[in-house]
Amino acid sequence: MSQITLAICRHAPYGNALAREGLEAVLAAAAMDQTPDVLFTGDGIFQLLPDQAAGEIDQKSLHRNLQALPMFGVEQIYVCQRSLEERAVSSNRLAIAGINLVLVQDTGGLISRYQHVLSF
Amino acid sequence: MIFSLVVYSAPHAGESAATAVRFARALVDQGHRLYRVFFYGDGVHSGSALAAPPQDEQDLLGQWQALYREHGVDLVVCIAAAQRRGVLSQSEAQRLERPAANLAEGFELGGLGQLADATAHSDRIVTFGGSA
Amino acid sequence: MTLHIVNQSPYRTSALRDCLDAMADGDALLLIEDGVYAAGAPTGIAPIPAGTYCLQADAVARGITPAKSITLIDDERWIALCVEHTPIVSWF
């Protein structure tokens, strides 16, 4: 199956609605059998941190949306290695059941493989 | 060529929403086909009929509506994002028991599937992002 | 080849830096809105690649004179760039 769309998630959860609304858009596209590939980069990698307790600020956990991804056919996500390093986040800490994390160094090369990019 | 635009920015909050409508106008003026404009995030406020900017400022709502009237441009406001932010059609206002509806003429509420559909049917997608 | 569009001041957000990190050889960069503040004097944040485009109206509106290596364009040329490139990535 060839994907034509890459969704780039580069906003942190909770502080910016685009994080949640981006994942919702990914899930909606996947539900229509147009599953995009997904790249987490910049502050978007903070969406992947474990142990988020969004209830403390009366928000819904974004992790539920992430955990729903495999049910909609998203079984791997790309993660920008440089963004992790800049933020001192070890990829070992990031784990979402049923999803294979693929670390990417050449994000430009990745982007160039797609017809469309949706930025969130 | 077939274009679709995605607009995340609220009108009159920054320059981005104005850039989007100017770009849309330039596209159709050049003979390109504008398949859909999808308003998402704070962009859904573009579909509010209640915006009343001063007369010496840009009327972004009127510019979108002109594109709809003159070229039938499909102006889709994401229903989930719009409900959160209070942009409601008559039927949604009734269903959700809200005191008023404000979705402007020319705009329609639609699901996120309309965004996926736009990517499938367009040669190019251009995103107009917010200022946050 | 990708067209990257940056609409944020390089002094305010990481949009430009993130974009430059994600540019492949042959990609094009267009500065619009507050992104044009990167088009003037060297920012000290990141060198702007030669051949970068800048939306002239946005620069003129802000009183910014872009460096000579930057190509000033109008909306019509912007659309042509969109036709010539795929995908189109907005950084905001």
Side-chain angles (χ1 to χ4, degrees), chain C residues 23-91:
Chain C
M23 280 184 75
D25 285 347
D27 285 0
L29 169 62
L30 169 63
L31 303 171
I32 68 168
E33 301 171 6
D34 282 354
V36 305
Y37 288 117
T43 59
I45 288 171
I48 299 298
T52 293
Y53 299 91
C54 174
L55 208 53
Q56 180 163 26
D58 280 332
V60 170
R62 288 166 174 77
I64 291 290
T65 306
K68 282 204 179 72
S69 62
I70 289 177
T71 307
L72 293 170
I73 65 168
D74 58 11
D75 288 341
E76 198 171 327
R77 183 80 182 94
W78 179 7
I79 290 168
L81 287 175
C82 292
V83 169
E84 291 159 13
H85 293 83
T86 185
I88 301 162
V89 187
S90 296
W91 303 86

Side-chain angles (χ1 to χ4, degrees), chain B residues 1 3 8 15-17 19-20 22-23 26-27 30 32 123-132, chain C residues 5 7-8 12 32-34 55 58 62 75-80 82-86 88 90 92:
Chain B
M1 197 166 257
F3 281 74
Y8 296 131
E15 190 186 355
S16 186
T19 304
R22 201 184 70 227
F23 187 86
L27 274 178
Q30 284 191 37
H32 293 288
D123 301 309
R124 298 289 184 272
I125 301 280
V126 188
T127 302
F128 294 85
S131 55
Chain C
I5 303 172
N7 75 341
Q8 300 286 311
R12 181 162 177 265
I32 68 168
E33 301 171 6
D34 282 354
L55 208 53
D58 280 332
R62 288 166 174 77
D75 288 341
E76 198 171 327
R77 183 80 182 94
W78 179 7
I79 290 168
C82 292
V83 169
E84 291 159 13
H85 293 83
T86 185
I88 301 162
S90 296
F92 50 85

